[in-house]
Amino acid sequence: MAKPIKLITLLALLPATAVIAQNKWTERKAGDIAFITNTGGQNLGYSSTSGVKILTVDGFAFKDLNKNGKLDKYEDWRLPVDERAKDLASKMSVEQIAGLMLYSRHQPIPAAAGGPFAGTYNNKVFAESGAKPSDLSDQQKQFLAKDNVRHVLVTSVQSPEIAAQWNNNAQAFVEGLGLGIPNNNSSDPRHGTVATAEYNAGAGGAISMWPGSLGLAATFDPEVVKNFGHIAAQEYRALGISTALSPQVDIATDPRWARVSGTFGEDPQLAADMARAYIDGFQTSAAEKEIKNGWGYNSVNAMVKHWPGGGAGEGGRDAHYAYGKYAVYPGNNFKQHLIPFTEGAFKLQGKTGMAAAVMPYYTISYNQDIKNHENVANNYNSYIINDLLRKKYKYDGVVCTDWLVTGDETTVDSFLSGKSWGVEGLSIAQRHYKVLMAGVDQFGGNNEVAPVVEAYQIGIKEHGEAFMRARFEQSAVRLLRNIFRTGLFENPYLEPEVSKQVVGKPEFMDAGYQAQLKSIVMLKNKANILPLQSGKTVYVPKKFTPAGRNFLGMETPEKLEYPVNMETVKKYFKVTDNPEEADYALVFIASPNSGGGYNSADAKSGGTGYVPVNLQYGAYTATDARATSIAGGDPLEKFTNRTYKGKSSTAINVTDLAMVTDTYAKMKGKPVIVSVNMSNPMVFAEFEKDANAIIVDFGVQGQASLDIMTGKAEPSALLPLQMPVDMKAVEAQFEDMPHDMKCYVDEQGNKYDFGFGLNWKGVIKDGRVDKYVKSVVKP
């Protein structure tokens, strides 16, 4: 009887080609989405509706994204990111690369029925269409399929589940197109607070709420900011967002600038440290979420802005508008504005190394191009991008223009007008070409591929096709890196139930609220009136908001309402409408807002339109302003001198001042506590003596302010900005210089300077002050 042949012997007798490797992957399905686990490799997700098949190579699963039946380098997750990106870029058509260079206009989910961000579903507005909120709009299908857009700016979403479902629908749609390149969805900052929202440690579903950027800066603690970035990144990824159009690290050297509230304050070193912490938090994945080099499924690409710094707008005017197109440097201080980038965003402590993307600002950095001497917007300036950012500082990440920079200017005072500052005479295609030649990779707010392709043709005529193809592939590689590193080629899909659990989970909400408490600055505490005794009776005056227009030009109605959630107040105090019955008055106001420094009515009546940006509530006449502006000139203006000398302005919210002064009179010597929500520095001289205590926040829930007032938390924050003694001091300071204002001194003898703050014991003097304040060199 013959001996049985052992299985191992039988296998040894077979030819090598007959040995089949054992599969190392398993698959599970959730509706149309299949999730694959590769044991010892990267996990995958794909849609059954996209036509993508799975290839098994060496026992591992790979997605056949271009559906050619073989494993291409860009589909092989085992290869380095740059090798994959270069392979894919070489396979892309000019039209596909041009589409990759686009960044969509703002996309609310579902699309709005009207206004600048409107959309339709089967040619009907959402409410009449029968569509689901997570469906793609007609316009989204158009720009994804026809224009090859893969970078989508997401704004409002109804819920985390709907955001996740929309992400899955969008990813399945593009997975079925061409080379299967996934979307890299993005967002502007979305973790701001709702002042009237009550803190609930058990809340979920709504994204966690944190102080604004100035508030994060006011903690003077980069670890708070790093923790914010880590939490925010997890919430972003749960919403299908893999790029953050943040942080804004411009140093706020002019106190009047409309975008001060989005910065980390005026100090370059503090801004650099906060920028580094923010980006490390957003970009770094760890443990099982890491793919390689700190990148992975908890990573969100950070687009740091605005290179080379936008805080020096002349007169504090904002370059979203033609009247604010010039940044000026009377203090010859251009280089200091680079510090938050070169010492912060480009020198991370985490493994990702540097910010994934950079956004230049709209401004013309006036007379700072020392090579070509061009006064054109930063997005168009080859010296600013190619020579400084790319060559000197060796930045090889994505550079993306700010929104609408290639559009035509239609008026000097519209947010939605094109912002082609300095190149208004070029055609739209020529503008795209100039941007590309300056070293930029991507066009913000442009859904249309045609002008980018036309720019390619302009380049062929000037440099030849080989040069332009190489230039396009260079940008394609940079853009693709950010999609590969965050794992989107392997799995761009979400599980809506998981998203619901992650976004706004209790520990995230608690971390945000604790940061809010750490961000509130106490400026004054006369006779140690704070903390207040709970259970006492308080009077809270209502706040009047006049009718006006928002930044999009849409009308807003007048309002008379409580500035804080009174149901929340009642959990701390008894409430009365009669000041005579009150033990304390709590007055909640906002810092003065006089508009952007341009008056359309003045321009229409024959004036220049230029008026002062006013940091006090009451009327101000600019007798000390420059007689001749440093910069000026616009195709729609017949003059170049943009002076506002002798012109006047009054804060739109001047009634906030009356809230304090009237309440002080009504309280007849009883304590008045003033809580200021601050967007810009302000002149405290108008009301400081009418307040027994003053606290300042930069975007918190009213409940956080009440917790400070009643001693549930001790104030610990410091001013990230100087407060001017008066408007004369504001006119005297230079737009490009930090720490150069004469500061206000209150009746207690305290100077409201950078780094000042009080706690229950008095003026705060700790390691943060030693690190950031003592090193300040003032002009």
Side-chain angles (χ1 to χ4, degrees):
M1 182 174 154
K3 291 183 179 180
I5 300 175
K6 293 183 179 180
L7 179 60
I8 190 169
T9 305
L10 183 61
L11 289 173
L13 296 174
L14 291 173
T17 54
V19 179
I20 302 173
Q22 183 178 357
N23 281 356
K24 301 173 183 176
W25 58 272
T26 57
E27 179 175 299
R28 65 179 176 87
K29 292 190 176 180
D32 292 335
I33 310 301
F35 295 100
I36 289 176
T37 300
N38 270 310
T39 303
Q42 284 203 43
N43 297 332
L44 312 179
Y46 70 101
S47 171
S48 61
T49 65
S50 69
V52 163
K53 304 296 183 186
I54 296 300
L55 302 172
T56 301
V57 178
D58 297 332
F60 293 113
F62 301 85
K63 292 161 69 172
D64 184 14
L65 290 166
N66 61 3
K67 308 172 187 66
N68 66 354
K70 67 177 184 178
L71 182 64
D72 294 280
K73 286 184 178 180
Y74 85 91
E75 297 164 336
D76 189 345
W77 43 258
R78 299 169 298 184
L79 297 177
V81 162
D82 268 22
E83 188 173 347
R84 298 177 71 187
K86 289 174 183 176
D87 176 64
L88 178 52
S90 72
K91 291 175 165 60
M92 296 174 72
S93 68
V94 168
E95 289 76 15
Q96 287 171 326
I97 295 177
L100 195 65
M101 290 176 168
L102 303 180
Y103 225 121
S104 86
R105 298 186 182 98
H106 298 63
Q107 300 296 311
I109 300 169
F117 311 129
T120 56
Y121 299 81
N122 293 322
N123 298 314
K124 296 179 179 179
V125 297
F126 175 72
E128 300 170 2
S129 67
K132 297 177 182 176
S134 57
D135 287 346
L136 301 186
S137 70
D138 299 332
Q139 292 73 21
Q140 289 164 357
K141 292 176 182 176
Q142 167 86 1
F143 67 63
L144 292 172
K146 181 182 176 184
D147 294 291
N148 301 302
V149 172
R150 291 298 179 271
H151 292 80
V152 182
L153 175 53
V154 175
T155 57
S156 59
V157 296
Q158 283 191 357
S159 70
E161 301 101 300
I162 289 171
Q165 290 160 2
W166 179 87
N167 170 79
N168 288 354
N169 290 336
Q171 297 291 8
F173 184 81
V174 297
E175 191 173 71
L177 300 174
L179 295 162
I181 298 171
N183 280 350
N184 182 358
N185 302 323
S186 71
S187 175
D188 282 310
R190 58 194 312 124
H191 281 82
T193 60
V194 178
T196 56
E198 185 173 0
Y199 170 63
N200 178 358
I207 205 161
S208 61
M209 290 190 281
W210 295 72
S213 294
L214 275 179
L216 291 172
T219 69
F220 278 60
D221 185 351
E223 285 303 311
V224 171
V225 180
K226 187 175 180 180
N227 189 41
F228 161 70
H230 176 64
I231 288 172
Q234 293 175 69
E235 293 184 305
Y236 272 30
R237 292 303 298 261
L239 295 170
I241 295 165
S242 44
T243 289
L245 301 185
S246 59
Q248 183 192 336
V249 305
D250 316 73
I251 51 174
T253 47
D254 192 285
R256 299 164 291 190
W257 189 38
R259 304 198 69 179
V260 165
S261 64
T263 73
F264 292 126
E266 68 180 290
D267 184 70
Q269 192 55 56
L270 179 63
D273 290 350
M274 294 302 187
R276 185 185 311 107
Y278 188 109
I279 298 166
D280 270 332
F282 263 93
Q283 290 189 171
T284 305
S285 293
E288 74 279 358
K289 292 292 185 178
E290 183 179 6
I291 297 172
K292 193 171 184 181
N293 298 327
W295 292 101
Y297 288 102
N298 273 348
S299 296
V300 171
N301 298 295
M303 186 180 291
V304 62
K305 55 190 187 184
H306 304 89
W307 178 265
E314 185 163 19
R317 296 185 296 270
D318 177 28
H320 277 93
Y321 308 87
Y323 61 70
K325 67 200 293 184
Y326 294 102
V328 295
Y329 301 87
N332 195 28
N333 197 39
F334 177 80
K335 290 182 179 179
Q336 211 169 16
H337 288 255
L338 307 182
I339 289 173
F341 298 91
T342 60
E343 300 302 314
F346 303 162
K347 288 186 179 179
L348 304 182
Q349 291 177 341
K351 290 193 285 185
T352 64
M354 63 173 56
V358 170
M359 181 187 292
Y361 198 43
Y362 294 117
T363 44
I364 295 170
S365 297
Y366 192 66
N367 287 348
Q368 298 307 304
D369 180 351
I370 60 175
K371 180 180 181 183
N372 305 308
H373 306 289
E374 273 197 303
N375 275 315
V376 296
N378 297 311
N379 300 278
Y380 293 94
N381 194 299
S382 181
Y383 172 74
I384 297 290
I385 307 299
N386 275 328
D387 290 274
L388 284 184
L389 181 61
R390 295 291 192 200
K391 294 176 184 176
K392 183 172 182 177
Y393 296 109
K394 298 179 171 46
Y395 183 77
D396 193 38
V398 168
V399 178
C400 176
T401 75
D402 214 327
W403 265 231
L404 301 178
V405 302
T406 56
D408 289 328
E409 179 190 351
T410 55
T411 177
V412 297
D413 62 347
S414 172
F415 183 86
L416 294 173
S417 176
K419 308 171 202 308
S420 48
W421 312 145
V423 295
E424 294 91 344
L426 299 181
S427 71
I428 290 178
Q430 287 169 335
R431 291 173 198 158
H432 281 78
Y433 177 65
K434 187 170 179 62
V435 166
L436 287 170
M437 291 301 100
V440 176
D441 306 296
Q442 198 166 30
F443 303 93
N446 180 8
N447 297 354
E448 297 160 358
V449 76
V452 187
V453 175
E454 195 174 343
Y456 185 82
Q457 297 302 323
I458 294 172
I460 289 177
K461 291 177 183 176
E462 189 164 330
H463 297 288
E465 183 149 19
F467 174 90
M468 281 309 292
R469 178 70 202 192
R471 175 66 191 86
F472 261 45
E473 287 192 26
Q474 180 185 45
S475 285
V477 168
R478 291 171 180 153
L479 290 158
L480 291 168
R481 278 186 196 134
N482 292 350
I483 309 178
F484 279 114
R485 292 189 299 203
T486 48
L488 293 171
F489 273 90
E490 278 56 69
N491 181 23
Y493 296 98
L494 301 169
E495 296 187 73
E497 280 302 310
V498 175
S499 294
K500 181 180 178 180
Q501 293 167 11
V502 170
V503 177
K505 70 160 124 178
E507 53 263 49
F508 293 174
M509 298 295 282
D510 180 63
Y513 191 73
Q514 296 306 316
Q516 290 181 50
L517 294 173
K518 291 179 181 178
S519 75
I520 296 173
V521 183
M522 184 165 68
L523 292 182
K524 184 178 182 181
N525 192 19
K526 188 177 181 180
N528 293 323
I529 188 64
L530 297 182
L532 303 177
Q533 186 177 339
S534 297
K536 292 286 190 177
T537 302
V538 298
Y539 165 66
V540 181
K542 288 184 176 180
K543 179 183 175 72
F544 174 73
T545 304
R549 294 180 181 274
N550 65 16
F551 70 97
L552 294 174
M554 301 169 71
E555 291 187 0
T556 55
E558 72 172 43
K559 295 182 292 185
L560 180 64
E561 59 188 3
Y562 285 111
V564 65
N565 186 329
M566 294 305 290
E567 293 306 310
T568 304
V569 174
K570 289 175 184 177
K571 295 184 177 181
Y572 295 79
F573 304 104
K574 298 171 186 175
V575 174
T576 180
D577 289 330
N578 182 358
E580 292 187 1
E581 298 175 354
D583 298 303
Y584 314 123
L586 311 182
V587 186
F588 293 84
I589 61 175
S591 55
N593 172 18
S594 67
Y598 189 86
N599 186 320
S600 300
D602 176 75
K604 289 175 182 176
S605 63
T608 65
Y610 291 90
V611 295
V613 179
N614 186 6
L615 298 184
Q616 64 186 37
Y617 295 105
Y620 163 66
T621 300
T623 55
D624 297 300
R626 295 185 185 108
T628 304
S629 64
I630 293 174
D634 186 88
L636 299 181
E637 294 177 340
K638 297 179 181 179
F639 54 87
T640 57
N641 186 3
R642 293 180 159 195
T643 183
Y644 51 86
K645 186 178 178 67
K647 297 276 197 75
S648 301
S649 65
T650 302
I652 298 165
N653 59 334
V654 63
T655 51
D656 281 23
L657 176 60
M659 288 172 66
V660 180
T661 56
D662 290 354
T663 300
Y664 174 77
K666 291 175 181 176
M667 288 298 288
K668 298 177 181 178
K670 291 182 288 186
V672 176
I673 316 302
V674 178
S675 177
V676 183
N677 173 230
M678 183 175 284
S679 299
N680 288 79
M682 58 189 286
V683 178
F684 278 92
E686 291 180 290
F687 69 86
E688 176 263 320
K689 291 181 180 178
D690 292 346
N692 297 79
I694 301 172
I695 63 171
V696 169
D697 74 81
F698 307 94
V700 300
Q701 294 163 258
Q703 186 174 351
S705 299
L706 292 167
D707 277 350
I708 293 289
M709 290 179 189
T710 56
K712 288 191 174 182
E714 183 173 10
S716 61
L718 307 170
L719 282 177
L721 302 157
Q722 293 183 314
M723 298 297 127
V725 63
D726 52 29
M727 282 303 297
K728 184 175 182 178
V730 174
E731 298 291 358
Q733 60 88 41
F734 286 161
E735 285 92 337
D736 60 327
M737 295 292 291
H739 310 301
D740 68 335
M741 270 198 302
K742 184 178 180 181
C743 296
Y744 181 72
V745 178
D746 70 11
E747 64 176 347
Q748 307 295 111
N750 288 318
K751 182 187 287 189
Y752 294 179
D753 203 346
F754 172 78
F756 170 73
L758 301 172
N759 57 22
W760 303 142
K761 295 178 182 177
V763 177
I764 297 171
K765 295 179 181 178
D766 57 18
R768 298 171 300 163
V769 174
D770 292 340
K771 180 175 182 179
Y772 292 107
V773 180
K774 290 185 179 179
S775 62
V776 168
V777 177
K778 296 188 178 182

